[in-house]
Amino acid sequence: MAPSGPKAQQAAATNNSTPTPASEPELPKGPHPGHIQVACQYTSEQRLRRMLRDNKSDPAREDSYRLQGVQLIDNVRNVLHVPVKTFDTACVYYHWFRLSFRDAEYSYQDAAMASLFLACKVEDTIKKSKEILCAAYNIKNPDHPTTQDDKMFDQTSKIIIGLERLILETVGFDFRCRYPQSALRKVTKKIMGDDAQELFSTAMEMSIDMYKTFAPIKQPTFAMALGLLELTARLTGVGVDKIEKVDLSEYHTSRQGVVETMLDLLDLYTQHLKSTKLGNRFDLNKFIEVKIVINNEVDNDPKKLARYGHWCTNCDGGEEENLSNGTSVLKNISFFGSNSAKRNGRNQDGTMRFVFDPEQARRERREVESYFRDEYEEYEVEVEVPIEPERPNHGGHRDGKRHDGGGPWPGGHGRRSHHDRRKGGGNHRGFY
């Protein structure tokens, strides 16, 4: 006979219960796809201003640091006998670095020397960091020169090497650079003919002044070269008719780029004449006259020419937009010079990778984002909500108001009549 006690019933219930299904094993989580930073060779004036606004830069101080930094690079490269192509590369790195970081985070002298130090490596004109720092020190202190073995350069050399790494990340490890001087020599010889030698020396000095503006990171090579040549011709009055007959399509550029380059240079000469190489050779009124001529050309043809090209009037221009070519990129792809890519990239998961081809970055992002997309299914559920019954009114009146004396004042007293027996209009309780 089988046992029938409470323990036996409990054991039977335990044996007959349905076993709990095992939980599904979690899928292994793969590595994070990382973040992509796309190198970009060009930018626009609107993006430049946005980057300066995001860094909360003071316009007056920004101009001063830009001019002094480029002048310091030029002075040091002349002492070290560095070619002009190294100067071009160093100035481009210096501009991009200053646009990406606030002025309070570094010294502009250190940023200029770090840019020149990296440019010497890129252009295969190797110079030691202490050699560059020693040259800069001797320029600033000509009465007390020193050598590069001095221990005073040890700490500054470490700062330069640290800034070099930041500059590499800023430019996206893209070492391509443009050299307008070589193109300037070719177009001057081809267009001017016999007048080439007279104009070339002035145009070369103007090309050094051009790197004190943002034109080198906005315009292609031939746009800068033709802008330098035309502005030199208008200042000297030699060969203006020849430069006006040039077919710009042969040089794969447009009139907009040439005009914007000239106006950037003219703004530099009219506002900071003493900080330029041509400031002592031409009068300020001459620059103003040429600027008026160029501005009239822009005003007379507003459909084809503007002060700044690629200007978007309908958008504020977020970080996802690349205003240099008018196209929009994906949100997880950032162009170098974007503050969000460098400031937040280290705090996020994954690895920052640098890509040169934007189309390749877009294809890779489209392939990867399908695995990280959160999909939700929406459906409606009808739920019956009980209606609360109406509460009975216990106030004795339908409208819930008191009717003591017919008036709206406290106490319910209305207007006083001659039948009122209260003395003083109801302000006293006594009777007569």
Side-chain angles (χ1 to χ4, degrees):
M1 183 175 179
S4 59
K7 293 184 179 181
Q9 295 178 0
Q10 183 178 1
T14 304
N15 296 332
N16 296 332
S17 61
T18 305
T20 305
S23 59
E24 297 181 358
E26 296 183 359
L27 296 177
K29 186 176 181 181
H32 194 277
H35 307 278
I36 301 175
Q37 183 170 333
V38 181
C40 182
Q41 286 284 302
Y42 303 96
T43 186
S44 65
E45 182 68 24
Q46 188 174 19
R47 183 173 178 82
L48 290 176
R49 295 185 180 184
R50 188 189 319 125
M51 295 171 71
L52 292 174
R53 184 181 67 246
D54 294 341
N55 290 335
K56 299 180 181 179
S57 300
D58 184 15
R61 186 173 58 183
E62 193 279 330
D63 292 340
S64 176
Y65 287 168
R66 185 180 73 248
L67 297 176
Q68 294 179 21
V70 174
Q71 186 63 45
L72 179 60
I73 293 174
D74 187 33
N75 294 337
V76 174
R77 72 105 182 176
N78 288 328
V79 172
L80 298 178
H81 303 287
V82 174
V84 69
K85 65 177 184 178
T86 305
F87 168 79
D88 298 345
T89 306
C91 291
V92 170
Y93 293 167
Y94 178 68
H95 289 322
W96 278 119
F97 182 77
R98 293 195 60 253
L99 288 171
S100 303
F101 293 90
R102 297 179 58 186
D103 296 334
E105 298 178 4
Y106 63 92
S107 172
Y108 78 91
Q109 296 97 335
D110 295 339
M113 294 299 95
S115 301
L116 182 59
F117 178 55
L118 178 59
C120 289
K121 293 182 179 180
V122 172
E123 301 300 338
D124 200 16
T125 53
I126 305 299
K127 298 293 180 182
K128 297 180 180 179
S129 59
K130 292 184 178 181
E131 186 176 359
I132 295 175
L133 293 173
C134 179
Y137 178 84
N138 292 336
I139 292 173
K140 188 177 181 180
N141 304 280
D143 298 334
H144 304 282
T146 184
T147 61
Q148 58 183 347
D149 298 331
D150 199 322
K151 293 184 178 180
M152 72 170 65
F153 302 124
D154 292 343
Q155 183 63 28
T156 313
S157 177
K158 296 179 182 179
I159 297 176
I160 296 300
I161 296 174
L163 290 177
E164 179 192 12
R165 178 179 57 82
L166 293 179
I167 295 174
L168 286 172
E169 295 180 2
T170 302
V171 301
F173 291 87
D174 186 4
F175 303 126
R176 296 172 294 177
C177 193
R178 298 176 294 280
Y179 314 109
Q181 289 83 5
S182 59
L184 177 62
R185 179 178 59 84
K186 296 178 182 179
V187 298
T188 304
K189 185 177 181 180
K190 181 178 180 180
I191 297 174
M192 293 302 173
D194 298 336
D195 300 330
Q197 187 174 1
E198 182 179 356
L199 296 175
F200 183 70
S201 60
T202 304
M204 279 295 295
E205 293 184 359
M206 188 182 295
S207 68
I208 303 299
D209 291 337
M210 183 181 63
Y211 279 88
K212 296 179 181 179
T213 69
F214 288 123
I217 60 177
K218 295 191 297 181
Q219 305 300 335
T221 304
F222 280 103
M224 292 187 287
L226 292 173
L228 292 170
L229 182 59
E230 181 175 350
L231 184 56
T232 304
R234 292 184 180 276
L235 289 174
T236 57
V238 178
V240 179
D241 54 341
K242 297 180 181 179
I243 194 68
E244 291 179 350
K245 298 178 182 179
V246 174
D247 185 9
L248 298 179
S249 61
E250 296 181 2
Y251 300 96
H252 306 283
T253 186
S254 62
R255 183 62 181 169
Q256 172 63 45
V258 176
V259 168
E260 186 174 352
T261 301
M262 290 191 294
L263 289 177
D264 287 344
L265 279 167
L266 289 171
D267 288 342
L268 173 67
Y269 288 128
T270 54
Q271 298 175 10
H272 309 281
L273 183 62
K274 296 182 179 180
S275 301
T276 61
K277 288 183 174 294
L278 297 183
N280 298 327
R281 298 183 56 179
F282 296 95
D283 186 47
L284 177 61
N285 295 327
K286 185 62 177 179
F287 291 107
I288 295 176
E289 292 175 2
V290 176
K291 187 175 182 180
I292 292 174
V293 173
I294 303 300
N295 285 330
N296 290 335
E297 180 183 356
V298 174
D299 295 337
N300 294 332
D301 194 2
K303 294 183 179 180
K304 296 182 180 180
L305 298 178
R307 175 60 184 91
Y308 299 109
H310 308 288
W311 191 278
C312 179
T313 57
N314 299 326
C315 59
D316 183 33
E319 292 297 337
E320 298 86 9
E321 295 179 357
N322 178 20
L323 298 178
S324 60
N325 54 18
T327 60
S328 177
V329 298
L330 297 175
K331 293 183 178 180
N332 290 333
I333 300 176
S334 59
F335 285 82
F336 81 84
S338 171
N339 295 335
S340 61
K342 293 182 295 301
R343 304 298 173 83
N344 301 330
R346 293 182 176 275
N347 298 329
Q348 298 174 352
D349 297 331
T351 305
M352 175 68 73
R353 295 186 297 109
F354 301 92
V355 181
F356 296 153
D357 187 7
E359 290 299 329
Q360 178 184 353
R362 292 187 179 95
R363 290 194 299 268
E364 183 176 340
R365 178 55 56 190
R366 286 193 295 266
E367 184 70 22
V368 172
E369 68 179 359
S370 60
Y371 297 95
F372 292 88
R373 185 185 299 112
D374 295 331
E375 297 182 355
Y376 300 93
E377 182 179 356
E378 297 182 0
Y379 58 91
E380 297 180 359
V381 178
E382 295 183 358
V383 179
E384 295 183 0
V385 180
I387 301 176
E388 297 181 359
E390 296 182 0
R391 297 180 180 180
N393 189 2
H394 300 287
H397 302 282
R398 294 182 179 179
D399 54 358
K401 298 181 181 179
R402 295 181 60 185
H403 298 275
D404 296 333
W409 299 277
H413 302 295
R415 292 182 300 175
R416 182 182 176 188
S417 64
H418 63 280
H419 298 289
D420 193 353
R421 299 176 60 187
R422 288 173 292 183
K423 186 177 181 180
N427 294 329
H428 304 280
R429 293 185 178 181
F431 296 93
Y432 61 91

